[in-house]
Amino acid sequence: MKWTDLWGLAWRGLTRRRVRTGLTALGITVAVASMVIFLSLGEGIRKVFVEQLGGIGPDIQVSLSGFTQGFAPQPNLPDKAVTDIQALAPELGIKTVTPVVMTIRGSLDVSQSVVLYGLPAAQGIGAVFPNSSEAQGRAFTAADEGKGVAIAGAKAAQNLNLKVGSTLNLNRRNQAKVVGVLAPESGLVDNFIFLPLNTLQKSEGAEGRVSLVAVKLDNPRQAREVATALSKKLDLEASTQSDFLSFVERALKISDAVRFGISLISLIVGGLAVANTVMMGVFERTREFGTLRAIGARPGFVRALVLSESLLLSLVGGVGGVIVGLVGIWGVNLYTQQLAGIDAAALTPRLVLLALGISLFLGLVSGLLPARTASKLNITEALGRV
């Protein structure tokens, strides 16, 4: 037998058992699609943070617990830290120092969850997010400090049905009137609701404390050096944007491993289905393999034929899984766009290659035992079977 006939024989062997082959390919498709969808969430979130945080937010943020310690936005940093940083501004090339109070307002309905972000009204939102602009209403003024006013991000306004003049309940005793709605900027800031610093401190019972201090520099390229100096001089955690992105990357790698572990269960089941299908094919085609050996096919050719069938079956399932996964990613992004204005999932080239590579690996491993069995068939016994 010619080696050039190998793939044609393998394809004909699979298409002879269409129902069994189709069901096995479907199982692999579902397994690969679930892996693609799970891992695409990590890829999408990476893109969101890299693209949307690359040019917004503070150059440095100072807090009691940095990202390496699991940063949480509780207002636990004394106001004194703000004056300490301001005193170092001329020495370190600091342009603006902005105290910030952050709190997450959660809800059973995810679309109703928002981030409340308090900062000095006199400085305005532009002190931390310079690209923000009001689509409706007005910006903060110095006279707003301590008053019940708020400016809503575009997505937060949409999800909470807020417009200029709406009333936002902060808690049972505190309310804020919406005086502005921001133009869409990024999927993250769009979900913020901004309030004057003292207003949010009072609402949260955090007078005299802040969550972090946002620092803008004359030269953002010196962020690492300035952050190190602030940490040493003030005994606080000073983190740069690159620190934040590194923290996000580490967290996503851990979540990727968890999601891949979950997907691995279905992938193993899919691999067992391939092995079962190919092994049954070997037993059903004993006479065929015996005939191939009788007309001159070497054991290596028979082994390669069975492995080729296994690889073809896995490849078809892998390609189907990528296509179904793409549809699933579209559905996920449709939901997250409505919820937060971001694409939370992304099908990247490395994810496609990973999915196809794992499919082929499964096919190879699943076909080893059936291929070995087929190559060791005794010609006389094989031809004698009915």
Side-chain angles (χ1 to χ4, degrees):
M1 294 297 297
K2 296 180 180 179
W3 286 89
T4 52
D5 299 330
L6 185 66
W7 292 104
L9 287 171
W11 181 252
R12 283 196 293 273
L14 289 174
T15 53
R16 248 184 264 168
R17 309 177 302 280
R18 295 178 186 272
V19 175
R20 187 193 303 164
T21 299
L23 289 175
T24 304
L26 180 61
I28 301 171
T29 296
V30 172
V32 173
S34 66
M35 181 192 71
V36 167
I37 294 172
F38 282 158
L39 295 185
S40 71
L41 294 171
E43 297 293 309
I45 294 171
R46 280 186 182 89
K47 291 181 66 176
V48 168
F49 279 105
V50 171
E51 293 174 0
Q52 298 191 6
L53 284 186
I56 65 172
D59 298 319
I60 299 171
Q61 62 179 47
V62 181
S63 61
L64 278 181
S65 57
F67 302 119
T68 57
Q69 301 174 27
F71 172 76
Q74 293 94 348
N76 54 11
L77 183 66
D79 271 345
K80 180 180 181 298
V82 179
T83 55
D84 290 342
I85 296 172
Q86 287 172 336
L88 295 171
E91 174 187 346
L92 299 179
I94 295 174
K95 182 163 61 175
T96 60
V97 178
T98 307
V100 172
V101 171
M102 289 179 65
T103 181
I104 299 174
R105 191 58 48 86
S107 170
L108 293 176
D109 182 355
V110 180
S111 66
Q112 302 298 300
S113 299
V114 294
V115 175
L116 301 182
Y117 198 100
L119 74 178
Q123 288 184 284
I125 299 171
V128 181
F129 304 104
N131 296 327
S132 62
S133 61
E134 289 72 29
Q136 303 172 31
R138 64 175 179 84
F140 286 139
T141 64
D144 289 325
E145 192 60 64
K147 294 183 178 178
V149 295
I151 296 177
K155 206 66 188 180
Q158 177 184 324
N159 290 341
L160 298 179
N161 196 27
L162 298 174
K163 56 186 178 181
V164 176
S166 297
T167 298
L168 175 69
N169 291 318
L170 301 177
N171 51 43
R172 287 188 174 183
R173 292 181 291 180
N174 295 277
Q175 296 178 327
K177 180 180 179 181
V178 177
V179 297
V181 175
L182 297 178
E185 178 187 344
S186 76
L188 297 174
V189 179
D190 288 348
N191 289 279
F192 288 5
I193 292 180
F194 296 91
L195 297 112
L197 180 67
N198 292 341
T199 302
L200 190 53
Q201 284 177 320
K202 180 181 178 182
S203 170
E204 296 298 311
E207 291 88 345
R209 291 174 285 130
V210 297
S211 301
L212 59 93
V213 180
V215 176
K216 284 281 188 179
L217 303 176
D218 294 325
N219 184 1
R221 293 182 180 179
Q222 295 179 341
R224 179 71 272 153
E225 292 82 357
V226 175
T228 301
L230 285 172
S231 295
K232 289 180 178 179
K233 292 176 180 292
L234 302 179
D235 195 24
L236 295 172
E237 291 290 334
S239 305
T240 65
Q241 283 188 350
S242 61
D243 292 331
F244 178 64
L245 293 176
S246 297
F247 168 77
V248 171
E249 180 64 26
R250 289 195 299 272
L252 288 175
K253 284 181 179 178
I254 294 172
S255 65
D256 283 345
V258 173
R259 288 193 296 270
F260 182 74
I262 295 172
S263 303
L264 191 60
I265 298 172
S266 57
L267 289 170
I268 291 173
V269 172
L272 292 174
V274 173
N276 180 66
T277 297
V278 177
M279 182 64 83
M280 289 180 67
V282 169
F283 288 132
E284 292 171 357
R285 296 157 60 200
T286 300
R287 286 178 60 85
E288 177 185 333
F289 290 133
T291 302
L292 286 174
R293 291 292 312 279
I295 63 176
R298 307 285 297 175
F301 181 86
V302 175
R303 184 164 52 247
L305 175 60
V306 176
L307 280 176
S308 298
E309 291 184 10
S310 180
L311 288 171
L312 274 174
L313 186 55
S314 297
L315 181 61
V316 169
V319 172
V322 171
I323 294 172
V324 173
L326 186 59
V327 175
I329 289 170
W330 174 81
V332 169
N333 287 338
L334 187 65
Y335 174 72
T336 56
Q337 275 290 343
Q338 293 175 346
L339 181 68
I342 61 172
D343 288 335
L347 185 64
T348 59
R350 73 172 181 175
L351 184 52
V352 173
L353 291 175
L354 176 64
L356 295 179
I358 289 178
S359 298
L360 291 174
F361 177 75
L362 278 177
L364 179 63
V365 173
S366 302
L368 288 175
L369 180 60
R372 182 176 181 275
T373 302
S375 68
K376 289 185 174 298
L377 287 173
N378 183 279
I379 298 175
T380 304
E381 292 180 359
L383 292 175
R385 290 190 186 181
V386 179

